[in-house]
Structures are given as structure tokens and as C-alpha cells.
Amino acid sequence: MKPVVNIKTPFLTVDGIINIQDDKGNFTGVVLIERKYPPIGLALPGGFVDYGETVEEAVIREMKEETGLDVIILRQFHVYSDPARDPRQHTVSVVFECVARGTPQGQDDAKKAIVVPYKEIPFEKLVFDHKKILIDYLHNKNAIFK
């Protein structure tokens, strides 16, 4: 059998819904980053999966790189694959629900990282399909913050 060459496939990415927990165990909000590079706006932290890396390893790495936080993965939330979800190219994102304590610091591709209370998420400023992801999450009966 002849090897297939020049196969065009979507890029694999991960995004993290990081729920911040205070010292008393209360959830105070979700982490958003202000992007350094286009598309400019607010986003969930995330990025590309490296070759040889699992999606779980990738989300832990990306969360640390962009926010400085050590996250605990609670579960895989959903996969988003709309070819138009990223204006740069076709990406498929595996989204994870995570929890962390501490104050996020914008690093790497993140100009800034902030904790936003769940009821104050500025949906109009979100890029990619992150508005849809967060709306889906906030309406999910199994979301950790509920």
C-alpha cells in the first residue's frame, strides 16, 4: 500500500476553563486572558498540542505557560470543531474544565490574565468561539462552580 502524502487536517488545540477557588473553597470566577497577538481580545487560555503530547499534558502545560497557574483537570468538557471557530485556520479544540488557586499572571501569548466573576463575563470581547464555549459551560448542570 502506498503511503498517503499531503493530507490536510485541522490543527489540534486545547482550551482550559479554569475555575478559581479561594482559600475557603468558594469558586470566585473563571480565568480569561488578554491576547498579545491577533485575533486581539479576551479568550480562554489555551494553545496547540505538541507532537508526542497528550491533550491532558497540553492543557496543563498551556495553562501554566499563559497564566502561571498549576491546574487540576476535573474533566474533559467538550470538543469544538467548527471549521470557522478560528479565523486563522481550521482548529479542533478539546476543552477541559479545570480548577486552580492563586492569582493568574499573563505570560507567553497572554498579555494579561484576569479572574472574571461568572456573572460578569464580557461575552462581547471574547474571540474565537469562546463565547459559545462559556455559554455552554455556564448552562451545563455538571459545571463545578454550581
Side-chain angles (χ1 to χ4, degrees):
M1 182 181 216
K2 238 178 160 180
V4 180
V5 292
N6 295 328
I7 296 175
K8 192 169 183 175
T9 64
F11 291 92
L12 183 59
T13 65
V14 291
D15 288 302
I17 300 170
I18 305 174
N19 294 282
I20 294 295
Q21 196 174 39
D22 66 18
D23 293 337
K24 295 178 183 168
N26 300 311
F27 292 102
T28 59
V30 65
V31 175
L32 296 178
I33 62 161
E34 183 181 332
R35 291 180 47 81
K36 274 187 192 175
Y37 307 108
I40 300 297
L42 295 177
L44 292 166
F48 293 95
V49 178
D50 291 338
Y51 187 81
E53 183 177 50
T54 68
V55 290
E56 294 83 4
E57 291 166 339
V59 78
I60 289 169
R61 175 184 52 77
E62 284 288 345
M63 299 308 100
K64 182 71 168 180
E65 285 178 4
E66 292 194 347
T67 71
L69 295 171
D70 293 310
V71 301
I72 296 170
I73 297 172
L74 299 175
R75 67 182 170 122
Q76 180 184 319
F77 174 62
H78 195 67
V79 174
Y80 291 84
S81 61
D82 183 336
R85 68 176 301 274
D86 185 330
R88 302 168 299 175
Q89 65 228 349
H90 184 181
T91 63
V92 173
S93 185
V94 181
V95 180
F96 288 90
E97 180 182 34
C98 304
V99 65
R101 287 190 176 178
T103 304
Q105 303 291 321
Q107 303 176 95
D108 195 37
D109 294 341
K111 185 187 219 179
K112 188 161 116 179
I114 57 173
V115 178
V116 180
Y118 300 102
K119 292 182 180 182
E120 296 176 22
I121 295 171
F123 292 106
E124 71 284 355
K125 295 181 180 179
L126 295 172
V127 296
F128 307 117
D129 60 350
H130 293 189
K131 175 181 178 179
K132 177 176 178 26
I133 293 170
L134 282 170
I135 288 172
D136 290 351
Y137 180 70
L138 293 172
H139 290 97
N140 186 283
K141 64 181 170 120
N142 295 318
I144 188 84
F145 73 93
K146 292 185 177 182

